[in-house]
Amino acid sequence: MSRTRGTHLTHWGAFHAETDGVRLTSVTPYVDDPEPNELIHNVASAQHHPTRIDRPYVRLGWLRRGPGSAPRRGAEPFVPLDWDRVLDLLAAELRRVYDHHGGQAVFGGSYGWASAGRFHHALGQLHRFLNCLGGYVRSVGTYSYGASEVLLPHVVGGFDEVLSNATSWDSIATHTDLVVAFGGISAKNAMMSSGGVARHQLRSRLAQARARGTRFVSISPIRDDTPDEANAEWIAPRPGTDTALMLAVAHVLISENLVDHGFVERYCTGYPEFAADVLAKGRTPEWAERITEVPAHRIRVLARQMATGRTLITVSWSLQRARHGEQPLWLAVVLAAMLGQIGLPGGGFGHGYGSTAYPGERSAAVHLPSLPQGRNPISTFIPVARIADMLLNPGGEYEFNGERLSYPDIRLVYWCGGNPFHHHQDLARLRRAFTRPETIVVHEPFWTSTARHADIVLPTTMTIERDDFGMGNADPLLLAMPALTAPVGLSRNDYTIFSQLADRLGVHTAFTEGRDAMEWLTHLYEEWRDGLGGDNSGIPRFAEFWSAGAVALPPKPPHRVLFDAFRADPEQNPLRTPSGRIEIHSATIASFGYEDCPGHPDWLETAELQAGESSRAERYPLHLLANQPKSRLHSQFDVGDHSRSTKIRDREPLRMHPADAARRGLAEGDIVRVFNDIGSCLAAVRLSELVRPAVVQLSTGAWYDPDPADPRLCRHGNPNVLIADLPTSTLSQACSGGHTKVEVERFTGPLPELTVLAPPPIALLDKPSGKAADPVNSRHRTD
Ligand SMILES: Nc1nc2c(c(=O)[nH]1)N[C@H]1C(S)=C(S)[C@@H](COP(=O)(O)OP(=O)(O)OC[C@H]3O[C@@H](n4cnc5c(=O)[nH]c(N)nc54)[C@H](O)[C@@H]3O)O[C@H]1N2
Ligand SMILES: Nc1nc2c(c(=O)[nH]1)N[C@H]1C(S)=C(S)[C@@H](COP(=O)(O)OP(=O)(O)OC[C@H]3O[C@@H](n4cnc5c(=O)[nH]c(N)nc54)[C@H](O)[C@@H]3O)O[C@H]1N2
Ligand SMILES: [Mo]
């Protein structure tokens, strides 16, 4: 390609780039972005990093012995193959598995954020392809808010509306006296929106509300979870104890007669049972102080403040990404109901302000163009975070949301657009689970840990190397994303790879409908535009859009007040719950009989927090928060310049209170071993008074770099080696990866070099005999 200039969209922002056809030579923030961020600089610096996958590879053992369980998956060299050969091998393997076992044996869940861009969306491409072959076992729910997705339908009749019709920032600035933000309102997280963000504006939203008199209380173990613009008061409970704090607020509201009885009687079920339980169990501020370490007096004052004016209670998604994560979310709804403010402008409850850019913002009034997925004839699914359980327990039975289900027997795993060795917990266990399938296929631009644990690794383009268009849900601006450079190495688009496989498998026409990628872009756009009917005025034809580079879509009308119609007339507009009302007590959930999620919210001890000599809490006194990283999206572009600039001697930073460091003789920049009974990792100390004492923060996303002798040890700083693979509860079976308990000590050994910064060992095929070279002689590629 020749020298170009262009605009591009990522999940974390848009940017302008100049290129020499091979590389981006300059990257500047999108001209219209009021609050741009540094993450845009990860892209160019990672594009030609040595960990880009340059060509197709197959694991040596798979090539030699064919499909089968493989204890050495992840520890063997890869053999470079040409495209035709690898596509022939993969097509034959897909044929074998579909013929002998059917789609029931193929796991295509492939959870992950992939990249911005409507057509080249990796998961959409994979699912359409597998549907052409006979379907696949899918996953349901997310790592983001898996507990909420299951719980909220029981409590308020749905999940989507809470997100898409969240009280708008304008309404907050106009009506809200007090925002009580559990988990804060994070500027680092609001950099993202799935699909992209062109204009970031969280800080100005907060500043505007503040200027109009809204007060903020940020309840979080980390002070900078809410930016300075909010001028928030900071309350720092022990992590995972918000439920106790909320119950104590409920206790104060009840005992000081601050409950809106008219509201709970008319609009809710189960309030009397809940209130009786709170009183009977003595959930007083003094009781909560012992658990949360927030002074009882402060809890009392908070409850009174909440009952004084218009109050919005918001809970970040992180609160439910924990053992018993359903409880604090449910309680936020209950407290908002007790205050009688659900359905009033600027009041009630919210979920995830600051968790991404979206909550409180307006998305487009129209749906967006997207690639049709076809039909999946396989009905089997797993809750997304049960991936390791599924692979380790074929046929095993489990409960999920009142249903008894069993795990399928998976022969082939196909991952395209996600990184389970980033997103899952107890990575050594996941590694064991990954030895089980007969074949694992991964499409990736980079040698992520997941690619290293695959049998067949196919190199895919980055978004800057292909034509697409994209938009997120926080600002309705559809951007053209023309290719800025040529693809690196022999990488191909996921679409091209699936088309070529489809050709070998006799489903080419079904998959491609005879279109190439640019024809698809035109087709999807024009079909979408036509489908808008009268709503398409002002939306140009494709050619004009493509040359203009952007089109502003009409935003949704200003949000209705969440649950206003229900409030106006609950008989005419009931909620979609069994009672039609807000379920403070859910007879349905109670009927499931789950000890870890009873019929109304309550404080449930977790192993992490339990006292007792042999407990994890006693042996590992520091509470580790594995939150989202400020320097990247998840594991994406961890090799990029900005992400690497935040590391110390290549290790992920661990934020720690100076008092905790002093007690352990640790100083800024020290390399430490972070450990518990699940695993250990290396990290580098960053001292900070913004982190509450007895809490350490190690964000996710450092590429898992297992010690060859002990996969429970990550040399780089991936917290998921330290976190149990346990569900939130039996009800939602969601990811509980936010927290664990650890101890930290100075690392005294020689600092091991990271292996994830270079490609894995490569074995060259001994051409004449067709056999692979002796792996002992394989060379470790560093170019
Ligand atoms: N301990 C702990 N664990 C967590 C969390 C936590 O808070 N704590 N958070 C969880 C949450 S909320 C989430 S959403 C998950 C995120 O988990 P993931 O979404 O799996 O993480 P990503 O790093 O975004 O992985 C996306 C992968 O897709 C690849 N990719 C990008 N574009 C393309 C493409 O076009 N084609 C192909 N084939 N591949 C592409 C990227 O290189 C990257 O490796 O992590 C979860 N894990
Ligand atoms: N920069 C960046 N932004 C992102 C992402 C990313 O990877 N990088 N990922 C995106 C994705 S996929 C998602 S789902 C969202 C996730 O959004 P969240 O789940 O809200 O994000 P986290 O960073 O995990 O948590 C936010 C804060 O909650 C606090 N917290 C954790 N546990 C507790 C607790 O028990 N009690 C209280 N009171 N506070 C607690 C932590 O201090 C943490 O910093 O973020 C999105 N935004
Ligand atoms: Mo997420």
Side-chain angles (χ1 to χ4, degrees), residues 577-650:
T577 54
S579 61
R581 300 180 182 193
I582 297 165
E583 303 222 339
I584 291 176
H585 180 91
S586 161
T588 310
I589 293 180
S591 75
F592 298 156
Y594 301 147
E595 272 179 17
D596 53 7
C597 192
H600 56 248
D602 199 0
W603 169 249
L604 307 168
E605 290 280 352
T606 64
E608 277 73 22
L609 298 163
Q610 253 159 29
E613 239 188 321
S614 63
S615 76
R616 187 172 295 149
E618 298 277 311
R619 279 175 294 152
Y620 309 108
L622 296 170
H623 199 117
L624 184 139
L625 289 179
N627 64 352
Q628 314 292 348
K630 191 176 176 187
S631 58
R632 57 186 173 257
L633 172 66
H634 313 137
S635 70
Q636 295 197 32
F637 301 107
D638 187 31
V639 294
D641 280 355
H642 176 63
S643 179
R644 293 204 61 195
S645 74
T646 64
K647 310 219 182 197
I648 300 171
R649 295 168 75 194
D650 280 336

Side-chain angles (χ1 to χ4, degrees), residues 111 113 142-145 317 321 355-356 628 633-634:
Y111 183 79
W113 265 55
T142 60
Y143 279 71
S144 309
Y145 35 58
W317 297 340
R321 204 175 303 111
S355 289
T356 63
Q628 314 292 348
L633 172 66
H634 313 137

Side-chain angles (χ1 to χ4, degrees), residues 331-665:
L331 274 169
V333 178
V334 172
L335 291 180
M338 292 170 77
L339 295 174
Q341 296 194 5
I342 294 175
L344 292 180
F349 70 94
H351 191 24
Y353 287 92
S355 289
T356 63
Y358 177 41
E361 298 293 354
R362 280 155 75 184
S363 46
V366 295
H367 71 279
L368 289 180
S370 61
L371 181 70
Q373 307 283 285
R375 205 183 69 81
N376 183 358
I378 306 295
S379 57
T380 311
F381 67 87
I382 57 163
V384 67
R386 301 280 56 83
I387 170 76
D389 286 357
M390 171 185 75
L391 296 176
L392 290 167
N393 276 311
E397 296 205 340
Y398 66 103
E399 287 273 329
F400 170 59
N401 199 12
E403 276 187 86
R404 186 122 199 106
L405 299 169
S406 68
Y407 291 118
D409 187 359
I410 296 299
R411 312 282 168 145
L412 185 143
V413 171
Y414 209 129
W415 227 291
C416 180
N419 187 0
F421 281 88
H422 159 75
H423 65 231
H424 202 56
Q425 286 62 59
D426 196 345
L427 293 179
R429 181 171 189 260
L430 181 67
R431 204 170 195 255
R432 261 196 329 280
F434 261 56
T435 64
R436 294 294 185 89
E438 293 167 2
T439 296
I440 298 180
V441 189
V442 170
H443 292 199
E444 253 294 338
F446 292 94
W447 278 115
T448 60
S449 205
T450 300
R452 291 166 201 255
H453 285 85
D455 300 318
I456 299 182
V457 179
L458 303 181
T460 60
T461 50
M462 286 169 54
T463 55
I464 51 175
E465 299 158 2
R466 62 198 185 209
D467 294 321
D468 211 336
F469 47 72
M471 186 179 109
N473 45 17
D475 51 352
L477 184 73
L478 186 68
L479 280 177
M481 302 162 61
L484 299 174
T485 74
V488 164
L490 300 181
S491 58
R492 292 182 179 172
N493 296 339
D494 294 306
Y495 178 66
T496 312
I497 300 170
F498 289 129
S499 305
Q500 291 167 338
L501 285 169
D503 191 25
R504 284 164 169 79
L505 290 160
V507 293
H508 189 259
T509 311
F511 181 71
T512 66
E513 296 178 24
R515 296 187 189 94
D516 67 16
M518 195 36 121
E519 286 163 348
W520 267 111
L521 290 181
T522 315
H523 167 75
L524 291 177
Y525 183 98
E526 292 292 349
E527 193 184 53
W528 162 75
R529 186 178 174 281
D530 289 347
L532 297 178
D535 290 339
N536 74 6
S537 61
I539 300 182
R541 305 296 300 260
F542 182 74
E544 199 185 318
F545 157 68
W546 194 251
S547 68
V551 54
L553 300 182
K556 272 190 192 162
H559 294 192
R560 283 188 353 264
V561 174
L562 188 62
F563 301 124
D564 59 344
F566 167 67
R567 186 179 182 106
D569 189 340
E571 269 70 46
Q572 283 300 309
N573 310 306
L575 300 181
R576 294 186 309 275
T577 54
S579 61
R581 300 180 182 193
I582 297 165
E583 303 222 339
I584 291 176
H585 180 91
S586 161
T588 310
I589 293 180
S591 75
F592 298 156
Y594 301 147
E595 272 179 17
D596 53 7
C597 192
H600 56 248
D602 199 0
W603 169 249
L604 307 168
E605 290 280 352
T606 64
E608 277 73 22
L609 298 163
Q610 253 159 29
E613 239 188 321
S614 63
S615 76
R616 187 172 295 149
E618 298 277 311
R619 279 175 294 152
Y620 309 108
L622 296 170
H623 199 117
L624 184 139
L625 289 179
N627 64 352
Q628 314 292 348
K630 191 176 176 187
S631 58
R632 57 186 173 257
L633 172 66
H634 313 137
S635 70
Q636 295 197 32
F637 301 107
D638 187 31
V639 294
D641 280 355
H642 176 63
S643 179
R644 293 204 61 195
S645 74
T646 64
K647 310 219 182 197
I648 300 171
R649 295 168 75 194
D650 280 336
R651 311 303 130 154
E652 191 65 18
L654 172 101
R655 283 211 291 183
M656 184 175 214
H657 193 276
D660 290 319
R663 208 163 294 134
R664 292 167 178 79

